[in-house]
Structures are given as structure tokens and as C-alpha cells.
Amino acid sequence: MTLRRPGPADLPHVAAVLLGGFALAHALAAGTSQTEVALAFTALIALGQCAGPALPGDREPAPVATAVALAYALLGPLHGLPTAHGVLQATAVTAAGTAVGLAVQWVGLAALAAVRRRPRTPLGGLDAAARRVVTVSFAALLFQPLYDSGATDRLPGPAYGALLAAVAALAALGDAVLAAGQQRARTGLRYSAALDDQLHALLGIGSAQVATGLLLSLLAGEAGLWALPVFCVPLLLTQASFRRAVEVRATTGQTIETLARATEIAGYTTPGHARRVADTACALGRELGLGSRELTLLEYAALMHDIGQLSLVEPVPGGATALLPDDEQQQIARLGSEVIRRTGVPKQVWQQVARLADPCRLDDGRHDPTLPLASRIIRVANAHDDLRTAAADRPRAGALDPLDHLRLDAGRGYDPVVLDALARLGRRGHRAARCRFAAR
């Protein structure tokens, strides 16, 4: 067993352990304020953690747990009576509830493994759990001192609500920043692309999560603890909708991968060609700063880029379309895009395939601004694999390296920016990792 060297993505885990451990030790030593309330929030956080399925992009596997923890961090009066739990108790409750929920999840996984099933290990859940402890502690640090000092008592209702919203928004932005770092470490995306993914996700389930946390803190203040489970129901329904979206996306990915193999089964392309092109294209996309949603669409298009060959009477020798004249490549791309268009995939996919063989520059020498970056990436990845396969099948002394061969047509057929990215990957000894259909 080899131990992985800790990196920046592990900082939330370290911070969560230190914060949670210190807060729990303080609670055990000094006691808790309003123990029944603390236990109620701990139980709801644990239940929310257990109920959380993975959502698109692993953005937040347990949104209910985070919403309840945020509500406790922002809780002022409870049913008209003042509270005094403070920052450390809010952290301790969040850490304890999260730990209990994770423990129950792991027991369930062990039980499934005992009956020879292969459950998914909730690694994304560990990342989100660590972020939850850190960001809820941050929210409590911003709000609880103001409440304890009595400053919030002098605020009118709208101003008090605006304060809660501002604190929750800052906590959510902090969570997105941490999540982007973890996503970058897991996927190799540039940090800017990962942060863009997380901010887009924040507009989806993230906004519902923050709104639920705000609502719970306000309603608990007026109605008491019974409001907590009742007003978690809308977020649970939203969560179920996201689960359905994950299932639909997985089915779409499996259908596309099966369809992509049609050219191999029919003998038009070499075995594994579509998968190799997709993996290289995704590696290039990451190198050029694409986000996870763009990478997913890129992978779809790369897998199906050769579908147009099925319309040919005679297969292209070796399936190497990159060695054909431009007009024949363009015809195959257009035919393939028409087939893909009828599969129901997002329109960007068939539009990218339709432009695969278009030149990078217009007749007057200017760069074509309408040519999608994905099309330029796939053309380079496809040609590189075709040339490598041809060189392996028919080795010749003094033959050009595939990348050097592509550089001969740089600026017209092949985008120099993409070729430079391919060269950087080669210098780093990069081996294209298998892509996966991921949401964002």
C-alpha cells in the first residue's frame, strides 16, 4: 500500500478535523447549551448525510445535511427564546452529525460488500463533508458573535434577513472556492475552469440549499424545531430531481459509447480508435481550460466523430480519415452530424462533429471565429491517432513523428494552439486517462 502525499486539496479535510476535534473537545469539557436543540440538529444533519445521493458533478452529495447545519449556524432566537450555542457548538454539532452520517453510510457499504455487491464509495461525500464543517464554522463565526453581542436585536426585520442572506452567500462562495480546489485535484482541470463549474452548480442545487438553510433558521426562530423536518421536504424533492438527472445522463453516456463502437464492429475503424480519440481530446480540453460540462460534450462528439463512415460504400483503409482529402473529410463529418442529430444529444455535439474537417482559416487568411474549439481539438486528436496507428502498422525509417507531421499543416487544417497543447502533454509524458461522463 502506497501513501499519497497530502496536497492542497486535502486542506479542507485537515481543517475540518482540527476544527471539529477542537469544537467537540470543548463541548465535552464545557458542556452544551440547550442540549435537546443541539441533539435535534445533530440527528437531522446525520439523517441528511445518510439520505444524500451523489448529484451532478459531485457538487454536494448531501444538501439537506448542509442546509440544516447552515440553519444552526445562523440560528438566533428559537421559538421566541434566546439561544447561546455560539460558534464552537455550531461547529461541534455539524462535525458530530456529519461523522455519524458518514459512519452509517460506511456501515451500509460494508453490508453491501458482504453480499458481494459493488457499491460506490462516497469519496465525493468525504470532500463535501469536510467543506461543510469548514464553511458552516465560517458562517457561524460571521453571525454568532453579532447575535451574542445583541447587535442583531437592533436590526429591523428586512435588515436582519439581509444579514443572514449575506452570511449564507459568503459561506456558499467559500464552499465553491474549496470545492474547485478539490475538483482540480481529482480531474486535472484548471482552477479557473473548476471554479466556473462550481459557481454554475451554485446556481442550481446550491441556491436551493442556501435558501433552505435561511428559511429553516428563520422559521425555527418563530415556530420551533418542528419546522425543520417539514421545510426540508422541498429540498428533498429537488434532490430527487437531481438524482433522476444523474440517471438520465448516465444512460445517455452509455448509449453514446455503444453507438460509437458501431464503426469498429462494422470494420470501418480500428478497435479502440474512438475511445483513444476521446481520451486524447479530453486531455487536450483540460489542458486548454475547458470546464467539466464542455468536456462532457467534447467526449460525446469525439466518441461519435467517425459515425459518418458508416455511409461509405467502401471503408477507408485503416479507418484513417485524416489521410483523406479535405472535401471527403468534410462530407463524412456532415453525414455523421446528421446521424448524431437524430440521437437526441445536445445540439453542440452534432454541431461540433459537422465542423470537424473545416479549415481553421478562411480564404482570406483570417482565423475562423465560428469554428468550435471542440472541433479543432477532435480533429487534432483523430489525426494524431490515425498517424500513430499507421506508423505502428507500417514502420518506415526516417518517417516524421505524428506531431511533426501535423505541424506541416498548422494554421490551416490543424489549430497551432491545439498542437502546442498536444506537444506540452507529450513533453510531460502524459498518458490520456479514460474520460468519464460527468455533469456539471
Side-chain angles (χ1 to χ4, degrees):
M1 178 179 177
T2 58
L3 296 177
R4 183 175 62 88
R5 191 172 183 177
D10 298 308
L11 290 178
H13 295 265
V14 175
V17 170
L18 293 177
L19 285 170
F22 179 76
L24 287 169
H26 180 272
L28 291 174
T32 58
S33 173
Q34 295 173 302
T35 304
E36 297 83 359
V37 176
L39 290 175
F41 274 93
T42 301
L44 281 173
I45 292 170
L47 288 173
Q49 178 67 45
C50 294
L55 296 182
D58 291 332
R59 176 63 182 85
E60 174 53 272
V64 173
T66 299
V68 174
L70 182 61
Y72 192 58
L74 302 180
L75 183 64
L78 178 64
H79 204 12
L81 299 176
T83 58
H85 51 277
V87 177
L88 287 178
Q89 186 165 314
T91 301
V93 165
T94 302
T98 299
V100 170
L102 287 173
V104 173
Q105 281 185 320
W106 282 103
V107 169
L109 288 172
L112 289 174
V115 293
R116 298 185 179 181
R117 297 184 183 179
R118 298 178 63 86
R120 177 184 175 186
T121 304
L123 296 179
L126 291 176
D127 284 347
R131 297 198 312 270
R132 181 185 308 131
V133 174
V134 174
T135 55
V136 168
S137 300
F138 175 60
L141 183 63
L142 293 178
F143 175 75
Q144 288 298 326
L146 292 175
Y147 174 74
D148 292 338
S149 68
T152 58
D153 296 338
R154 297 187 291 272
L155 294 177
Y160 182 75
L163 173 64
L164 292 180
V167 171
L170 287 173
L173 288 174
D175 181 69
V177 169
L178 295 176
Q182 293 172 329
Q183 183 182 2
R184 182 184 184 279
R186 291 197 311 270
T187 64
L189 290 178
R190 290 186 180 180
Y191 183 79
S192 58
L195 182 59
D196 184 66
D197 283 344
Q198 296 300 328
L199 292 176
H200 276 85
L202 189 58
L203 300 177
I205 191 67
S207 60
Q209 174 182 287
V210 170
T212 302
L214 283 173
L215 185 64
L216 291 177
S217 67
L218 291 171
L219 290 174
E222 295 296 327
L225 293 178
W226 69 265
L228 297 179
V230 172
F231 288 95
C232 282
V233 172
L235 186 56
L236 284 171
L237 295 176
T238 304
Q239 191 176 359
S241 297
F242 272 80
R243 175 190 283 180
R244 180 60 179 165
V246 172
E247 294 172 351
V248 170
R249 186 174 293 107
T251 301
T252 300
Q254 293 167 2
T255 301
I256 288 174
E257 190 132 22
T258 301
L259 183 61
R261 295 189 58 211
T263 55
E264 299 176 16
I265 295 172
Y268 282 81
T269 58
T270 57
H273 170 72
R275 185 71 260 172
R276 292 192 301 271
V277 170
D279 292 343
T280 301
C282 287
L284 288 169
R286 282 191 291 269
E287 180 71 15
L288 293 171
L290 297 185
S292 60
R293 172 171 169 75
E294 294 168 309
L295 287 173
T296 298
L297 297 176
L298 172 65
E299 184 180 11
Y300 288 168
L303 283 171
M304 297 192 292
H305 75 280
D306 269 331
I307 290 295
Q309 290 202 51
L310 295 176
S311 63
L312 301 178
V313 177
E314 293 291 335
V316 177
T321 55
L323 306 179
L324 295 175
D326 285 351
D327 57 341
E328 294 185 30
Q329 292 187 49
Q330 291 170 355
Q331 181 184 13
I332 292 173
R334 303 279 194 281
L335 291 170
S337 72
E338 287 301 316
V339 175
I340 297 170
R341 186 176 185 176
R342 290 170 171 77
T343 63
V345 298
K347 67 177 182 179
Q348 295 97 319
V349 176
W350 58 263
Q351 288 173 344
Q352 291 166 5
V353 173
R355 302 291 305 277
L356 282 181
D358 289 1
C360 295
R361 296 190 181 277
L362 302 172
D363 293 337
D364 58 7
R366 292 184 297 111
H367 173 75
D368 186 356
T370 67
L371 185 62
L373 175 59
S375 300
R376 290 177 269 149
I377 288 174
I378 297 170
R379 185 172 191 183
V380 168
N382 174 62
H384 189 256
D385 189 74
D386 283 347
L387 291 171
R388 288 183 61 186
T389 301
D393 292 341
R394 298 182 298 277
R396 291 180 298 169
L400 285 175
D401 177 81
L403 180 57
D404 293 333
H405 191 284
L406 297 180
R407 287 194 185 278
L408 296 176
D409 198 17
R412 185 184 181 280
Y414 304 107
D415 188 342
V417 174
V418 181
L419 292 176
D420 289 343
L422 183 62
R424 290 195 298 272
L425 292 176
R427 285 195 296 270
R428 294 203 297 264
H430 175 83
R431 294 180 63 187
R434 184 182 177 93
C435 293
R436 66 183 180 90
F437 298 106
R440 199 32 81 245

